[in-house]
Amino acid sequence: MNSSWRVIDIVTTAVLGIAVGMLFWVWNIVGYAGFTALDTLTPGLGGLVAGTWLIGGVLGGLIIRKPGAAVAVELIAAMVSALLGNQWGIGTVYSGIAQGLGAELIFAVFAYRRFGLVPALLAGASSGVGAFLLELITSANLAKSLGFNVIYLSCLIISGVLLAGLGGYYLVRALAGTGVLDRFGPGRDLRASALGSSDL
């Protein structure tokens, strides 16, 4: 593992974080409406749409492949979302840190050497767990029923796996196919796949 950050890694992390932050800003309106509607049906079910807010850490880890990349992208995205204006204010930044750390943990467990589908799915799930743990305190979820917390955690994990993990994995593959990631691991993996060996 080469843990040294290149200038292009830093620049790409910033650009990726800003782009994901713009996505968050849109999802703050669309996704939160879905979150509220699902929570009205069954408290905790709103977690099923939260995965889009978890995708920054997965993308950062899969593309940059350096320690700290998952946290950095998710944090920058959260800061952009907060600066553009949303219903959570500074709390968005805390969420970015918790969610980014969740994804980062998985890439660290794999020693920043594996970036295929399984690590992506686990990173999405772990990001959801990070969000859940933070909200136990900041949203007073600890005072809510066990049933609510079990449903909410399960939905966050499912959404993290599908929207952030699976969605992030295939988004990276699509970007690699365009050539824009040629100077990063996904681009090298795509070229290696032609030789029959790839981590994508």
Side-chain angles (χ1 to χ4, degrees):
M1 175 192 70
N2 181 7
S3 61
S4 300
W5 282 67
R6 305 167 298 171
V7 172
I8 192 172
D9 295 328
I10 298 170
V11 172
T12 302
T13 296
V15 171
L16 187 59
I18 292 169
V20 174
M22 296 295 291
L23 171 64
F24 285 179
W25 183 63
V26 173
W27 200 245
N28 292 341
I29 301 168
V30 180
Y32 189 66
F35 185 100
T36 304
L38 287 171
D39 245 24
T40 300
L41 292 175
T42 301
L45 207 60
L48 288 174
V49 302
T52 299
W53 287 305
L54 310 175
I55 200 169
V58 176
L59 292 177
L62 292 179
I63 293 173
I64 308 301
R65 300 186 176 185
K66 300 290 173 64
V71 174
V73 172
E74 188 75 29
L75 176 57
I76 293 170
M79 292 171 66
V80 169
S81 174
L83 288 172
L84 289 174
N86 63 37
Q87 52 270 62
W88 303 286
I90 191 65
T92 307
V93 177
Y94 303 142
S95 293
I97 295 171
Q99 293 159 12
L101 284 172
E104 190 77 48
L105 174 64
I106 298 302
F107 295 115
V109 166
F110 284 103
Y112 300 96
R113 294 182 185 279
R114 290 192 57 196
F115 302 94
L117 180 58
V118 171
L121 297 179
L122 291 175
S126 185
S127 186
V129 173
F132 174 80
L133 292 175
L134 178 70
E135 290 180 35
L136 273 179
I137 302 169
T138 60
S139 296
N141 286 352
L142 192 59
K144 296 182 180 179
S145 70
L146 176 61
F148 167 84
N149 281 294
V150 169
I151 292 171
Y152 187 48
L153 175 59
S154 300
C155 289
L156 281 173
I157 291 174
I158 291 168
S159 188
V161 167
L162 296 179
L163 296 179
L166 190 65
Y169 173 78
Y170 281 106
L171 178 57
V172 170
R173 283 187 63 123
L175 289 172
T178 69
V180 299
L181 299 180
D182 281 352
R183 298 183 66 183
F184 296 90
R188 292 191 294 271
D189 286 346
L190 191 63
R191 292 192 296 273
S193 67
L195 303 175
S197 175
S198 172
D199 196 29
L200 274 179

